Amino acid sequence: MVGIDRGKLKALIEREKQRFVEEHPKSKDLFERAKKSMFGGVPMNWMIEWPGAFPLFAAQGKGATITDVDGHAYVDFCLGDTGAMFGHSPRETVQAATRQMRKGITMMLPTEDSIWVGEELARRFGVPYWQIAMTATDANRFALRMAREATGRRKVLVFNGCYHGTVDEALVRLVEGRVVPREGAMPPPVDPDVTTKVIEFNDLEALEEALAPRDVAAVLMEPALTNCGIVLPQDGYLDGVRTITRETGTVWIIDETHTWCAGPGGFTAAHGLRPDMLTLGKPVAGGIPSAAFGASQEIHDKTIANILADTTGVNGLGGTLTGNALALAAMRATLEKVITREAFDKMIPLATRWTKGVGRAIKDAGVPWHVVQLGARAEYRFREAPPKNGAEAIASKDAELDRYMHLYTLNRGILLTPFHNMALMSPATKRKDVDLHTKVFRESVQELVA
Ligand SMILES: Cc1ncc(COP(=O)(O)O)c(C=O)c1O
């Protein structure tokens, strides 16, 4: 296996950084101006995480292409970090949203679209009752509240390496057996050791031990981890999670926000899973803010009394703009006409092509890396074998290599999500887009090891 010459890597990063600055004068000027009025010069702080000295300022996103203010066009494999997984501004979503905007955006009244959406989510994910949220973070926070209400327990359990949004209980890491706030997280209101148990993924014994005291309201998990690199469940693992959560009266919440890439009904339908609750968000309304959380008949029955009470407005679910008519019209159109089986039939083979191309380039260069596919999502990592849990995945993170790969591709017309080495395929992505990435990826690695 070929090692990485760190001196050379640093020099290559410097070269790419310089090229980036030279080729993006308008983005640079806008960033200088933005810094004077916005935290860090951006409207949302993740946007500073792009690999150049400043973020690109976008002029337009359409299908799988983004154009920046300097006139460069990019093949977009970031796709709004899943928010635009089905392409930027899908035509059917835009048409439905435009129609609804003329008929009332937010009315504090349900529209018929909401029933269609509830029925469709139930059909796809096998969970019968639904509420709308604004973001997947919200959906997770609301689902955890309902699980506490249903069980009368307080603690939650999540997995090392997880990310479920800015949910205080889940913004945590397992360090030397202790639950601590995640590095970089602003201080939580309560020590997470009090609210949360954290274990490693793919370890049923650890789960059994953690749930044995029967003080955990909910296990909140992605069925495959996606936020520390992709970590797939081992054979039988998720069946074991179902059995242990059922035996201990713990609510099993599956967060499908990212793993929806596995098919129209997410990883849950693709693998016949039977969670008690399910959360999703990001692409559900084609990029218009919206999310949803669903519950089983049992959870519904145990919590509905609170939801139907006079005090329902302060039960901790929802908000003024949540479930608005615009979001529901967009969700309906997106579910009906955009997030379809046909779309996945285009997206998944493209991800397979991407994975094979990257895999061949890794092998030819002799670097100890691997690439893994999860439906329409694929990701490479800087370790030889796929990790089996969050600790292994986190240990393989390499900020310098990340920076190099991301800058190299960006300077050659390709966007990858800044905090992942991950590519998402949309129905608008073309085989030639994938092949361009394969070529550029191969050249970047070859140059590094030459
Ligand atoms: C699995 C998962 N759940 C929830 C969220 C939160 O989504 P949002 O930031 O849209 O609230 C994310 C965000 O990346 C996520 O990856």
Side-chain angles (χ1 to χ4, degrees), residues 46 81 135-138 140 163-165 222 226-227 255 257-258 282:
W46 300 2
D81 190 21
T135 64
T137 299
D138 271 355
N140 283 326
Y163 183 71
H164 296 285
E222 291 186 276
T226 65
N227 281 294
D255 178 347
T257 306
H258 277 183
K282 295 204 182 184

Side-chain angles (χ1 to χ4, degrees), residues 193-251:
D193 211 18
V194 175
T195 58
T196 311
K197 297 189 186 188
V198 183
I199 59 168
E200 293 292 352
F201 199 73
N202 277 326
D203 184 346
L204 286 176
E205 266 178 38
L207 183 67
E208 222 160 10
E209 199 181 310
L211 299 189
R214 296 176 187 242
D215 56 353
V216 173
V219 169
L220 173 62
M221 76 188 296
E222 291 186 276
L225 300 182
T226 65
N227 281 294
C228 53
I230 294 170
V231 181
L232 297 174
Q234 291 171 341
D235 281 351
Y237 176 64
L238 295 172
D239 292 337
V241 173
R242 178 62 288 185
T243 305
I244 297 166
T245 47
R246 199 166 269 147
E247 280 171 4
T248 54
T250 314
V251 177

